[in-house]
Amino acid sequence: MDKRFISFFTHSKDIFFVMDMSGVILHTNPSFRQLFNYTEAELLGINIADICHPADKERRDESVGRLVADKQLIGYQSRVKAKDGCYYSVTWSILLNDDGLIYSTGNPVVGVPAKSGPASDDIVQHTIQSLTEGFIVLDTGWNVLAFNPAFQAMANLDESQIRLSRFTSIESLGLTPRVMDELERSLTNKQALQVQYLNTFCNSWLRMNVYPYHNRLAVFIRDITEIMLQQWVLALEKKVLELNATSRYTLAQTTNELLMGIEGIFPEMICSVLEVDDAQEKLHNLAAPQLPKNYCDAIENLSVGPHVGSCGTAVFHRRQVIVSDIENDFLWADYAGLAKQFGLKACWSTPVISSKGSKVLAVFGIYYNCVREPNDSELQLIGRTVNILRVLIESKRNEENILDQNNRLQSIANISSHELRRPVATILGLVNLFDKDDILNPLNKEIIAHLDTSARELDDVIHSIVEKTLYMRVNEAEIYGEEVKGGR
């Protein structure tokens, strides 16, 4: 830190701190520590983001870019958390110095809680300032009379821009005629209401809680995109599980419905599911609603291996494989040209492992037409989808196994009632014809020959029954991942 600043800011009544370009605090003055009630040791080395309000993050990230470009920021406002958990709104003047350090001086905004004990108005003001929801007050001409930092972050405007703008002209809110009609109705009827809508400007869902007071409206605005996505995913899972419970839908049809639902919720996703053969060596297309047919045909019968794109590798290693840039990833060295033909630039693949963990049943793949990595919400979706796919695949295979067993049991019953009875009846009849009084009777020799033939026929029938029974045991064990003990 430049020594010329130390003496001045040590005695300044303004709050002051120095941080590096990554946001790590290097120095604070006594006024800073006194206002927020931290010791110098508690602040030294922590990142400024750790004591700033979460709702200010996006605006803070944008301010860094402006600071790098302009070397200074004047009038930047943020909320800083004191040691007791209270947030103070501060207006900052920020300078990026030639030494690569960031120097910030600030003044608390009037109305934040005082250390000696805030009055009721101060408590209300502090609560509004600390909300992660946007808050604004509007008059009948849709002028913004008051707002909190969360709304400022949502609007992506500085304080002066908001004060000079009418609410209806703030593009980042994506206001629709229906929303404005609802606000007008609340103002006219003096009735509180709630309205939610898709903000097409930033592709997010917003919910407004509107409260009229005299000729003004107090409006709380919340981003509910995550809530809406969770509701849609739950509804999709319910629908798919209900379809799976009916015999009218095949596994491929049900899986296709699941993937189409996901692509409807996340329009940029291109989903696919490849089944893995019993030998765990080859992949076969099960469902891929949006993938080009020519691409699906090209990867049909794809081998499992340690460097076979995302899907083949995920099955080989039995773990998730995230490839954010197909063109420059060694796993796609042999397949990048194919992906490029169809504009596929990223692929995330996750194996669907059986409930007993013995086999990989399938692999769930997500493609993108741009280079990108998954965020936390997408990783959660992938995990849920893999669980649903496991249920779909195992339940359908169980159904097929039960049907096959029923057919085999019916076959065994038919063998027992017809093919088994015939040689037994023949043997019994021949035994009755055997001349016990005259062992040397020539007829006995023929009877013994017929008995031998019938006994061999009976042995073949019994062998067939044992084989069918053993197959049922083996097939069931494979489905549940168990070891078959014993044999014929």
Side-chain angles (χ1 to χ4, degrees):
M1 175 180 172
D2 193 327
K3 294 181 180 180
R4 295 173 299 172
F5 291 96
I6 294 178
S7 176
F8 176 77
F9 285 110
T10 296
H11 301 93
S12 173
K13 293 184 179 180
D14 289 337
I15 59 177
F16 167 76
F17 75 99
V18 180
M19 62 181 174
D20 63 20
M21 287 298 295
S22 64
V24 174
I25 296 175
L26 304 176
H27 179 78
T28 57
N29 73 341
S31 295
F32 186 103
R33 298 192 292 272
Q34 182 179 7
L35 175 62
F36 301 118
N37 199 28
Y38 293 107
T39 67
E40 187 171 12
E42 287 172 331
L43 291 169
L44 186 64
I46 72 169
N47 197 292
I48 188 65
D50 296 336
I51 58 172
C52 285
H53 200 287
D56 296 338
K57 179 181 184 304
E58 184 176 346
R59 190 157 49 87
R60 184 173 65 250
D61 293 343
E62 292 175 357
S63 70
V64 172
R66 289 165 49 200
L67 179 62
V68 170
D70 300 338
K71 303 301 182 183
Q72 65 177 6
L73 284 176
I74 306 298
Y76 173 75
Q77 191 173 99
S78 68
R79 289 167 288 180
V80 179
K81 183 172 67 175
K83 191 172 182 178
D84 62 4
C86 289
Y87 282 95
Y88 289 75
S89 288
V90 181
T91 300
W92 300 96
S93 295
I94 305 173
L95 172 69
L96 175 59
N97 203 23
D98 293 338
D99 56 9
L101 299 179
I102 299 173
Y103 296 75
S104 302
T105 60
N107 290 291
V109 177
V110 176
V112 297
K115 193 174 179 183
S116 59
S120 59
D121 286 346
D122 292 331
I123 293 174
V124 172
Q125 177 71 6
H126 167 65
T127 301
I128 290 173
Q129 291 291 324
S130 300
L131 286 174
T132 56
E133 289 182 283
F135 172 77
I136 53 172
V137 177
L138 304 173
D139 64 14
T140 56
W142 307 120
N143 297 303
V144 179
L145 304 179
F147 57 92
N148 71 345
F151 176 80
Q152 184 176 346
M154 192 176 292
N156 197 27
L157 299 172
D158 60 36
E159 185 175 345
S160 61
Q161 288 175 313
I162 293 177
R163 295 195 182 282
L164 294 174
S165 301
R166 296 180 75 235
F167 178 66
T168 52
S169 66
I170 301 177
E171 293 183 354
S172 56
L173 297 178
L175 297 169
T176 66
R178 180 180 68 86
V179 173
M180 293 310 302
D181 288 344
E182 290 294 300
L183 295 181
E184 185 71 54
R185 183 166 66 87
S186 175
L187 194 61
T188 302
N189 298 337
K190 309 298 181 185
Q191 178 183 358
L193 55 81
Q194 182 182 99
V195 57
Q196 61 187 40
Y197 68 100
L198 174 63
N199 177 358
T200 56
F201 183 87
C202 56
N203 196 32
S204 62
W205 283 85
L206 299 181
R207 182 172 68 201
M208 292 185 180
N209 288 299
V210 187
Y211 303 94
Y213 182 74
H214 295 309
N215 291 321
R216 297 178 179 179
L217 288 180
V219 183
F220 292 88
I221 309 174
R222 183 180 182 185
D223 188 323
I224 58 168
T225 305
E226 287 298 322
I227 296 173
M228 297 294 290
L229 291 177
Q230 292 296 323
Q231 290 177 352
W232 292 332
V233 170
L234 281 172
L236 174 62
E237 290 174 346
K238 180 175 181 293
K239 173 188 174 183
V240 168
L241 290 174
E242 288 174 349
L243 292 177
N244 188 62
T246 68
S247 57
R248 293 184 295 107
Y249 277 76
T250 65
L251 175 61
Q253 290 172 324
T254 308
T255 305
N256 203 63
E257 288 289 331
L258 173 63
L259 300 191
M260 286 195 298
I262 293 173
E263 290 169 344
I265 298 171
F266 299 88
E268 294 180 347
M269 287 186 178
I270 303 171
C271 301
S272 79
V273 174
L274 298 171
E275 272 194 296
V276 184
D277 66 3
D278 290 337
Q280 304 283 278
E281 295 177 351
K282 298 290 183 180
L283 305 180
H284 304 284
N285 292 297
L286 180 63
Q290 287 196 86
L291 270 181
K293 183 179 182 303
N294 289 343
Y295 181 82
C296 292
D297 291 342
I299 64 171
E300 173 61 25
N301 210 35
L302 186 72
S303 296
V304 173
H307 305 102
V308 185
S310 301
C311 292
T313 306
V315 175
F316 182 84
H317 290 296
R318 296 166 63 93
R319 62 174 173 79
Q320 188 177 69
V321 174
I322 302 295
V323 173
S324 59
D325 185 359
I326 288 176
E327 190 172 355
N328 296 301
D329 196 291
F330 73 97
L331 295 179
W332 280 80
D334 296 332
Y335 308 96
L338 174 66
K340 189 174 183 179
Q341 291 179 37
F342 300 95
L344 304 175
K345 297 186 178 180
C347 183
W348 318 330
S349 299
T350 308
V352 182
I353 300 174
S354 65
S355 54
K356 295 290 185 179
S358 61
K359 282 190 172 183
V360 180
L361 305 174
V363 58
F364 174 46
I366 298 177
Y367 294 88
Y368 276 91
N369 291 323
C370 60
V371 173
R372 59 165 295 179
E373 295 182 352
N375 56 37
D376 290 341
S377 296
E378 289 162 338
L379 289 173
Q380 291 175 10
L381 171 77
I382 291 170
R384 294 178 64 157
T385 303
V386 165
N387 289 333
I388 290 291
L389 286 169
R390 181 183 300 110
V391 172
L392 298 183
I393 294 170
E394 290 189 335
S395 65
K396 282 301 181 184
R397 289 189 178 181
N398 287 342
E399 286 179 17
E400 293 169 358
N401 182 54
I402 291 171
L403 180 61
D404 182 67
Q405 287 189 349
N406 288 339
N407 291 335
R408 289 180 179 276
L409 288 172
Q410 184 63 47
S411 176
I412 292 172
N414 291 337
I415 292 173
S416 301
S417 62
H418 299 291
E419 298 181 35
L420 192 61
R421 284 183 177 181
R422 186 175 65 255
V424 170
T426 301
I427 291 171
L428 291 174
L430 291 170
V431 168
N432 289 331
L433 291 175
F434 192 83
D435 189 348
K436 299 180 184 65
D437 297 328
D438 184 5
I439 300 299
L440 298 177
N441 187 333
L443 183 62
N444 283 351
K445 187 175 182 180
E446 293 183 24
I447 291 173
I448 290 172
H450 285 300
L451 282 172
D452 181 69
T453 301
S454 298
R456 291 179 184 276
E457 184 180 351
L458 180 60
D459 183 67
D460 289 340
V461 173
I462 293 171
H463 181 67
S464 177
I465 292 173
V466 170
E467 278 192 335
K468 291 179 181 292
T469 305
L470 181 61
Y471 175 86
M472 291 168 61
R473 290 176 59 198
V474 171
N475 194 36
E476 182 178 6
E478 286 181 348
I479 288 175
Y480 293 102
E482 299 170 346
E483 182 180 354
V484 181
K485 295 182 179 180
R488 194 182 152 192

